[in-house]
Structures are given as structure tokens and as C-alpha cells.
Amino acid sequence: MIGAGFTMVLVLMTALIALGLNRMTQVHDRLELIVHEHNVKTELIGNMRNAARERSVTLLRLSITTDPFDVDQGIMDFRGHASDFMVDRQQLDAMPMTPEEQRLLDESRGLTERAVAAQEHILDHILEDERGEARSRLLAEAIPKQESVLEHLDAMIELQQEAGLAAVRDTARQYRTAVVLMLALGGAALLIGILITLGVLRHTRRIESALFEEKERAQVTLHAIGDGVITTDLERRIDYLNPVAEHLTGWDQASARGQPLSRVFHIIRESTGERLHHPLTGRMPDATACSLDQEAILISAEGRERAIEEVSAPIRNREGTTIGAALVFRDVSKARVMARELSWAATHDSLTSLANRAEFEPRLSQLVATAQQEAREHALLYMDLDQFKLVNDTCGHGAGDDLLCQLTTQLHNQLRESDTLARLGGDEFGVLLPNCPLVQAEHIAENLRTTVDNYRFEWQGRIFRVGLSIGVVPVFGRVKDTVQYMSEADAACYLAKEQGRNRIHVSRAGDAELSQCQGEMNCVQRITHALQHNRFWLHGQRIVPVSSDGATHIEVLLRMVEDDGTVVLPATFIPAAERYGQMPAIDRWVVKRVLQHAATDTDTEGHFAVNLSGQSLCDRGMLDYIVDQLQQSGVEPSRICFEITETAAIANLSQASRFIRVLRGMGCRFSLDDFGTGMASFGYLKTLKVDYLKIDGSFVRDMGDDRVSRAMVESIHHIGRVIGVETIAECVSHESLLDSLRLVGVDYAQGFGLHLPEPLEPCPAKPEAPEENRRRSGSVASQEL
């Protein structure tokens, strides 16, 4: 009986021991799995964070550099970081997530999409060489959105840290429980036999070793984090610093352990230098996380100052009881310097360091407000350099940049300390003269003009002289806004140029010339009105075959119809549209209207040739718009031929190549307009896969009498034959030119001598008398759109 009972006890004890050992093994396996999983998550999130941050840095570099190789490399880096970010996020999506982790990941995904959209817009501005706008949007939109993404990623890293620490604590607690159980079982097992006890102790040592290794692994994880990590106990005394925290605070782990947090983590406010008290020095946080003042500066033990960002959160055990706190912080000194630089760059010209238009106009608004509210009298100068293009064209942009910098210094010397000199454009400057009567403003303007007129610019042994045209506008208590003052000053400067350049034009009450000039500049408003109310009118001019049996094509020409029925030719409104960036909107209107007409036209055998401006080639959405309209209209793409000028194609070579590649792939045709005006363009014909070369009319008009013009026509036609492209002669003013064109072999001809443009659709309003329309058409025969 005793033997049986002893056997039963032995079996029971053996079973309990086995159960305890199994439990400890499970604890070990679970901890290993949890730590590995958090390590992988932390690494992936860290990689995502680095990739996101590098995209902003790359955009900053792109917004500053002008070197095309640096730009190309920067774009490749920018796309590469996006790819790295997506790969890491896909791997993170595949891992098991807690509800909190999944929530943060979902929120970060939406934030990332908005940040990426902002960055893509900024990249577009950079590619369009609008670096000022790019830097402004980078500071105002992209960086704040990117910071939101980084904050969510930081929160996810903190979750991993908290989860890792909680796993270690939970495992330690379970381990202690298991050890107690094993000690109890060991004591009981001593009654049975030393062998069982020794076996249990040996196994316990192995478990202890495994747990120690896991704890070391968790410590290594904290050591590998790129941010500083400090943990405290309930008394706000330092418990742990990782290596980054040691470096940033200047304290080592041994010296800092047990020290009050306020002694090790010494922070001040950047703007005032006053001491900041961390929330943890008062009480433990009861929320999930809290952050420091955005102006926090960390003072290390050596006295070194670093700008930091920090977030702190309570450390809780499995029961939810707070047992300490964790601080995670990073050095953002470079980021703050970058933000200040971006802020400066958004309001200043990078070449001359003058205020730019974005800074100039708000300052003008302040002067307008004080003039109206306090009856003060100020003045506005709008200045444009004369003969500046000559320096650029003969010596290159480097010489032009150097000239602008030198003139900036000369102009500054003639202004008062309270005045504002700004660079508004390439060679356009503005000056604000606060508390300055008109007579004094004229005197200052004359000093500026004389200074520039007397200055001689020397470049590589060559001496240049430039002038300065200035528009002077008084700013006093009249009811005008900033836009009106700028328009008036621009018009006054324009009149100074029109009246002979290198002179001053002062805006005075009843200035008829200025009013007329402003009226012409207001053409852009009429264009906007025409777009909104469909006041454009399509005309067509035939492109007839000369040396072939091809079909007759139609080039689409455009007219604008005023509300009173006046027909305005493109030579009047196209320059204003190009100057104010309205050509993409006009081209969209034309494309849509031509496709509507082509869908119902059954008489035209050939294609309709539609002109596209250089601005449209650079418009990000134009290509997608044309593709969408072609698909919606149902018109066969081969019935549409897009004409782009030689100058626009070369200036926007990559965009033009993509435009042509995509639309020709659908079946559309392309014609290179005004070809021959820049002979350097011959080398680009291999890149620009077009169907037609339109020989510039300046060669065609005189080819019957001028041997050089005829040779140019023959050369262009010969090149077209070599590369398999048909040629079209423009501006054929009389039929007698057809014989010369046939001898050369030109395929098509177009001009007023062959066909006068005629409407393709009814006029949207009652037009002028036919005689007046014909007179207007003939006066701009060489300037048709």
C-alpha cells in the first residue's frame, strides 16, 4: 500500500514536474516569438520612416539645385525612396497586427497618400523650374504632412517598444512563477530523490540562460533604435538609457542610473532660453503619450545644445498598473535649420537674396492698408532691365546671373533702410518706398535709373551697358487693392519701355496712355470670360497636296468673339494668354470642340490639325485629358494631327517626346510647326517621331526669288525624306509658288494664296461686317494660330 502510494505520489510529482517544465518551455518559445516579431516590425517601420524622411530631403535638394544631373539623380532617389517605403509597408501589412497597430497603420496610409500627393505636386513645380513655388509648398504643405506620417510611424515604433518591454516583464513574471513552482516541486521531489531534483535544477539553468538571452536580445533592440530612449521608475529616476540617449545627454548608463530625470534631461526653450520642465518631473502621464514644446533644446552634460523632438508614455504592467515611463527623443537640429532655410527660401530670391514676389506683395498690402487707414503716402516702383537679354544671349546665363547680383548691390546703395527691393521675375524688380511722397519717389527712381545707366558690366573682356525702365505709382488713400497697384505699376513700366526704354513713367491721375495699356493687359479677363461662356470660334484652312495624291487636310484656327460680336484674331489675345498661363485652358477647349466637330463631319477626307502650345506640353493633366476626350468622342485618332512648334518641342523635349509617343501609339499624327527657325533642332528629329514637318513661312514666301530661302526649303524637305516624314510649306501667298514647291518635291502647301480660313461652325454671336473681318484676317496672315 505504501509502495503503491509512494508510486502514485512519484507519478503525480513526475507529472507536475513535467507540467512545470512544459510551461517554462512554452514561456521561452512565446517570448522568442514575440521578441522576433517586434524586432522585425521595428526594423520595417524604421526603414519606412527613413525612406519617408529621405523623400523630403531629396525634394529640398531638388528645389535648390539647378544642375540637370543633380536633378536627374534626385528624381531617381525620390522614386527609389518611394519604392523602398512601399516594399517595407507591404511586408508590414503581411504581419499579424494588434488593433492599435492596425489603426495607426491605416491612418498612416491615408496620411502618406496626402503627403505623396503634395510631394508629387512639388516635384511637378520643380520639373517646371518653379523652384520658388516648390519650396513654398514644400514648407507649407509637404513637410507638415510628412511630419504627420512620421509621427504615426514613431507611434508605431513606440508601440513596439512598449509591447517588447511588456513581453519581457510578462515573461519575467511567468518565469518567476514557474521558478517558484519548480522550487516547490523540487522541495517535494527531494523526498523522492536527489536525481529528480538535480534534473529539475539542470533544466532550470537552461531556461534561465534562454531567458537571459531573450532579455539581451530585447536590450539589443533598444540599442539599435536610432532615437534616444530613457526609462524611469515611479519616482522619475533614471532606470535605463540606450546609446543614443547617452550620446545626446552626455550621460552614461552607470552615471545616470538613479539620477532624477530633470538632472539628466535638461531642456530649455529655444526662443527665450528659459528652463522647460518635462511633464514627467511633475507626475506620471495618465494618457498614452505626451510631447514636449516644439521649441525644446536639450543641453547635454558637456553644454552642447541640440534641438529635439520628444514623446513620452507610461510603462504599464500586464494588469495596467503604471510602473514607470519611457521617453523617446531625437536630434532635429538639422531639420529645424532646414525649416528655417525653407522659410527664407520661400520669401527670398535664391540668386540675389532679395525678397521675392511672395514676400513683396504682402508688404505692399501693408502699405496699401496704412495709406487707406492712416492717410499715409507711399510709392511703388516696378523696374525692368533693358538689354539684359543681350548679356544672356551673348555670354550665357552665368554672366546674366552675375550681372543681376552686381546690380542688386548698386541698387541697394541708392535706397533708404526702410525701403524694400525685391526681384519679381527674371530681370524685373520692385521697390516699396514707405512714407515717401511722389516727388521724392521720382527722385529715388531717377537715382536708380542713373546708377544702372552709368554702370558698366565686364565679362571675359567684354563690356556691356544696360538700362532701367521704371514705372512709378503713388500709393495713397485711393480705393485700390494690391493687384490694381501692381497692374498699374507694370503698365507704367511697360510704357517706359514703349517710350524708348531707360526712362521713368510716373502714373498720374488721368493718364490716358496708362489706362489704355492696362486695358490691353486686362485681355486676360476677356479670355477667361470667353472660356466660361464658349465665346471662341473655330475656323479652318486647307492644307492641300502638292506633289502627292494625298487627302486635303484642315488646320484648325481660332477666333475670340466679344459680347458685342467683335471678332478678335489670335494675334491679339494669344500673347496675353501665353503670358498669363491660359493656353492650356484654351487648348483644352479647342481639343474638345474639334473632336465634337470631327464626330459629325463627313466631308473632310483628311485630318484636322490642332495646335498645341508649349505650356500645354508641360501641363501635367493635358495628355490624360486628350486621351479621355478621344475615347469619349469615338473619333478615329488618325483624323487628328497635333501641331507643336519647333521651339516648344525643343524647350520641352522630354514632355514633347512622351506626348508624341503616347498619342501616336493611339493613332494620332503629329506635325512640327515653324520648322527651320532653329537649325540646331535637326539633331532632335531622331527623338521627336513626327509625321509632318511644316517649313517656316519665312523661307517659303521668298523661295521664288531668293536662292538661300529655296536652299533652306530644299534642305528641310530632303531631311524629311531621309527620315520618312512628309513636308508642308506654310504661308503660300500665291499659286505661282506651287510650281517651285513641286520642283523641290514638297508634299503639301498651305496659305492665303490657296485658301482663306472659313468657319467650321456657326458664330457664337453676331460677327462684324464681312469686309471688316476680311481686313482683320489679311492683316495677321502670318500670325495665325
Side-chain angles (χ1 to χ4, degrees):
M1 193 70 177
I2 295 176
F6 180 83
T7 302
M8 292 179 62
V9 171
L10 181 59
V11 171
L12 178 60
M13 294 302 296
T14 303
L16 290 174
I17 292 171
L19 180 61
L21 293 174
N22 182 62
R23 176 60 177 166
M24 295 178 72
T25 301
Q26 291 178 352
V27 170
H28 168 267
D29 293 340
R30 179 173 176 272
L31 177 60
E32 183 176 18
L33 177 62
I34 291 175
V35 171
H36 174 73
E37 179 178 290
H38 288 306
N39 285 346
V40 173
K41 288 182 181 178
T42 300
E43 181 181 0
L44 291 176
I45 297 171
N47 291 341
M48 291 167 61
R49 191 182 188 283
N50 291 336
R53 181 181 294 174
E54 286 301 317
R55 278 170 65 86
S56 291
V57 174
T58 302
L59 275 182
L60 173 64
R61 187 167 68 250
L62 285 174
S63 69
I64 297 175
T65 183
T66 57
D67 187 279
F69 295 100
D70 288 344
V71 170
D72 290 342
Q73 183 60 45
I75 293 174
M76 292 176 62
D77 293 342
F78 181 79
R79 300 301 184 195
H81 294 315
S83 176
D84 294 341
F85 185 92
M86 292 302 300
V87 169
D88 290 329
R89 190 170 71 185
Q90 289 172 358
Q91 295 181 23
L92 189 61
D93 282 334
M95 298 188 68
M97 295 282 175
T98 65
E100 180 65 12
E101 290 173 339
Q102 190 62 51
R103 180 186 67 79
L104 287 173
L105 185 59
D106 292 340
E107 289 179 357
S108 71
R109 182 177 289 107
L111 293 172
T112 299
E113 292 174 355
R114 290 192 286 275
V116 169
Q119 291 173 339
E120 289 293 337
H121 285 302
I122 292 169
L123 183 60
D124 291 340
H125 287 301
I126 292 172
L127 292 177
E128 295 168 3
D129 203 25
E130 298 174 355
R131 286 179 167 77
E133 179 66 16
R135 290 189 291 268
S136 176
R137 295 191 65 171
L138 181 60
L139 176 65
E141 298 179 19
I143 285 183
K145 291 179 180 179
Q146 190 68 286
E147 287 297 325
S148 298
V149 175
L150 296 179
E151 288 174 3
H152 275 69
L153 294 178
D154 289 341
M156 294 183 67
I157 290 177
E158 292 162 11
L159 276 180
Q160 301 308 313
Q161 296 167 356
E162 292 179 10
L165 292 173
V168 171
R169 291 193 301 272
D170 182 60
T171 303
R173 184 185 62 79
Q174 294 185 36
Y175 165 71
R176 290 193 296 270
T177 301
V179 169
V180 171
L181 175 62
M182 291 303 298
L183 290 175
L185 293 176
L190 285 175
L191 299 174
I192 302 172
I194 296 177
L195 292 177
I196 296 177
T197 302
L198 292 176
V200 170
L201 290 175
R202 283 195 298 268
H203 193 71
T204 300
R205 292 192 187 98
R206 288 195 298 269
I207 295 298
E208 287 177 345
S209 177
L211 289 174
F212 179 78
E213 290 178 1
E214 294 300 334
K215 183 178 180 180
E216 285 294 307
R217 191 175 301 173
Q219 294 288 348
V220 169
T221 299
L222 291 176
H223 277 57
I225 292 174
D227 295 336
V229 178
I230 298 177
T231 61
T232 70
D233 57 19
L234 288 174
E235 301 300 322
R236 275 78 72 185
R237 294 186 177 277
I238 301 298
D239 181 58
Y240 169 79
L241 284 78
N242 74 345
V244 176
E246 291 180 330
H247 172 70
L248 295 179
T249 63
W251 288 74
D252 59 68
Q253 167 84 356
S255 302
R257 190 175 181 86
Q259 296 288 341
L261 175 64
S262 58
R263 184 176 181 186
V264 176
F265 198 67
H266 182 198
I267 49 178
I268 63 173
R269 188 185 305 277
E270 182 177 17
S271 57
T272 64
E274 63 178 313
R275 178 72 180 268
L276 287 176
H277 297 284
H278 195 281
L280 288 180
T281 60
R283 62 181 179 83
M284 281 292 163
D286 52 6
T288 56
C290 61
S291 297
L292 274 176
D293 191 291
Q294 292 299 312
E295 292 186 84
I297 297 292
L298 175 66
I299 309 296
S300 70
E302 302 90 357
R304 183 173 180 179
E305 297 184 0
R306 292 182 175 89
I308 63 166
E309 288 181 349
E310 181 269 357
V311 63
S312 58
I315 299 175
R316 297 185 175 91
N317 60 18
R318 190 167 185 174
E319 289 73 26
T321 303
T322 299
I323 61 174
L327 292 78
V328 180
F329 58 100
R330 68 178 65 90
D331 184 354
V332 294
S333 301
K334 292 183 179 179
R336 287 195 189 172
V337 171
M338 183 188 303
R340 285 192 289 268
E341 290 176 350
L342 287 175
S343 178
W344 185 91
T347 57
H348 290 77
D349 174 54
S350 60
L351 175 64
T352 62
S353 297
L354 297 177
N356 60 14
R357 185 179 290 269
E359 177 69 10
F360 185 80
E361 292 182 352
R363 293 190 186 185
L364 174 59
S365 297
Q366 294 175 359
L367 294 187
V368 172
T370 59
Q372 295 176 355
Q373 298 169 8
E374 304 174 15
R376 296 187 183 183
E377 186 173 356
H378 316 294
L380 164 65
L381 309 184
Y382 199 102
M383 309 186 301
D384 195 315
L385 290 177
D386 302 319
Q387 304 303 323
F388 175 73
K389 187 175 183 298
L390 177 63
V391 177
N392 263 347
D393 291 345
T394 57
C395 298
H397 290 284
D401 291 346
D402 193 31
L403 171 61
L404 290 176
C405 292
Q406 293 184 27
L407 286 179
T408 296
T409 302
Q410 297 292 322
L411 294 173
H412 255 307
N413 294 335
Q414 302 301 318
L415 296 176
R416 305 170 300 174
E417 185 175 350
S418 60
D419 299 336
T420 297
L421 174 63
R423 185 185 181 197
L424 305 180
D427 59 350
E428 297 175 348
F429 295 84
V431 178
L432 296 178
L433 303 174
N435 302 312
C436 182
L438 184 59
V439 173
Q440 184 180 1
E442 290 185 66
H443 178 70
I444 294 175
E446 180 58 29
N447 286 343
L448 294 173
R449 189 201 66 78
T450 303
T451 297
V452 174
D453 188 47
N454 293 335
Y455 184 73
R456 299 295 180 269
F457 175 65
E458 182 176 354
W459 182 266
Q460 297 178 351
R462 305 181 66 178
I463 297 178
F464 295 90
R465 176 181 178 180
V466 295
L468 191 64
S469 297
I470 307 177
V472 182
V473 176
V475 180
F476 53 89
R478 294 180 294 177
V479 183
K480 290 184 180 180
D481 58 20
T482 303
V483 174
Q484 290 173 312
Y485 276 116
M486 287 295 291
S487 175
E488 185 176 340
D490 191 7
C493 179
Y494 178 80
L495 285 176
K497 281 187 171 292
E498 286 290 303
Q499 293 165 357
R501 300 179 183 272
N502 195 29
R503 62 183 59 213
I504 299 170
H505 186 93
V506 181
S507 173
R508 305 182 190 276
D511 192 333
E513 286 184 312
L514 185 64
S515 299
Q516 180 181 357
C517 181
Q518 284 186 283
E520 293 173 353
M521 296 173 70
N522 289 336
C523 180
V524 66
Q525 299 177 355
R526 294 153 56 201
I527 295 173
T528 302
H529 177 79
L531 286 169
Q532 293 174 344
H533 298 87
N534 287 318
R535 307 294 291 186
F536 286 111
W537 190 13
L538 296 184
H539 281 55
Q541 185 178 40
R542 295 173 191 159
I543 303 173
V544 300
V546 177
S547 303
S548 67
D549 297 328
T552 297
H553 308 300
I554 300 293
E555 179 177 359
V556 178
L557 307 174
L558 193 63
R559 307 288 186 266
M560 185 171 72
V561 182
E562 303 279 22
D563 288 340
D564 62 358
T566 302
V567 178
V568 182
L569 292 171
T572 301
F573 64 84
I574 289 300
E578 290 177 336
R579 178 178 181 182
Y580 290 96
Q582 289 195 314
M583 282 308 302
I586 293 177
D587 287 347
R588 278 180 165 86
W589 189 95
V590 171
V591 168
K592 184 174 183 178
R593 200 58 165 255
V594 169
L595 289 173
Q596 291 174 351
H597 175 77
T600 58
D601 180 273
T602 57
D603 298 328
T604 303
E605 297 179 4
H607 60 244
F608 291 91
V610 179
N611 291 273
L612 288 179
S613 68
Q615 293 177 5
S616 293
L617 290 177
C618 297
D619 186 280
R620 182 177 177 85
M622 180 62 73
L623 179 57
D624 293 337
Y625 177 82
I626 293 176
V627 171
D628 181 64
Q629 289 298 314
L630 281 168
Q631 294 173 344
Q632 289 186 27
S633 67
V635 174
E636 179 64 33
S638 62
R639 296 193 65 196
I640 303 298
C641 177
F642 293 102
E643 290 194 7
I644 56 178
T645 65
E646 173 193 24
T647 303
I650 295 175
N652 309 282
L653 187 60
S654 60
Q655 295 94 326
S657 298
R658 179 172 178 267
F659 228 92
I660 293 172
R661 184 176 65 255
V662 173
L663 293 178
R664 285 190 88 233
M666 295 180 64
C668 295
R669 302 180 184 183
F670 273 83
S671 179
L672 203 55
D673 202 3
D674 299 337
F675 191 81
T677 55
M679 293 304 292
S681 60
F682 282 128
Y684 291 102
L685 288 178
K686 294 181 180 179
T687 303
L688 299 171
K689 304 296 183 182
V690 298
D691 302 278
Y692 303 96
L693 294 180
K694 298 193 76 172
I695 305 172
D696 188 71
S698 61
F699 303 126
V700 176
R701 277 192 295 267
D702 302 327
M703 66 174 293
D705 303 317
D706 182 58
R707 297 174 57 189
V708 174
S709 295
R710 182 184 180 90
M712 288 295 299
V713 173
E714 291 175 343
S715 298
I716 295 173
H717 175 70
H718 177 68
I719 291 174
R721 277 287 177 266
V722 171
I723 63 175
V725 173
E726 293 186 293
T727 52
I728 302 173
E730 296 184 291
C731 299
V732 178
S733 56
H734 48 84
E735 291 188 3
S736 61
L737 282 174
L738 290 178
D739 294 333
S740 298
L741 293 173
R742 287 192 184 97
L743 290 175
V744 173
V746 172
D747 300 290
Y748 292 90
Q750 173 186 4
F752 278 62
L754 303 178
H755 177 238
L756 289 175
E758 58 185 76
L760 295 178
E761 58 183 1
C763 180
K766 182 180 179 181
E768 300 177 65
E771 293 78 7
E772 177 66 15
N773 280 336
R774 283 197 295 272
R775 184 185 65 79
R776 286 173 174 263
S777 299
S779 66
V780 291
S782 62
Q783 304 180 53
E784 289 292 349
L785 174 66

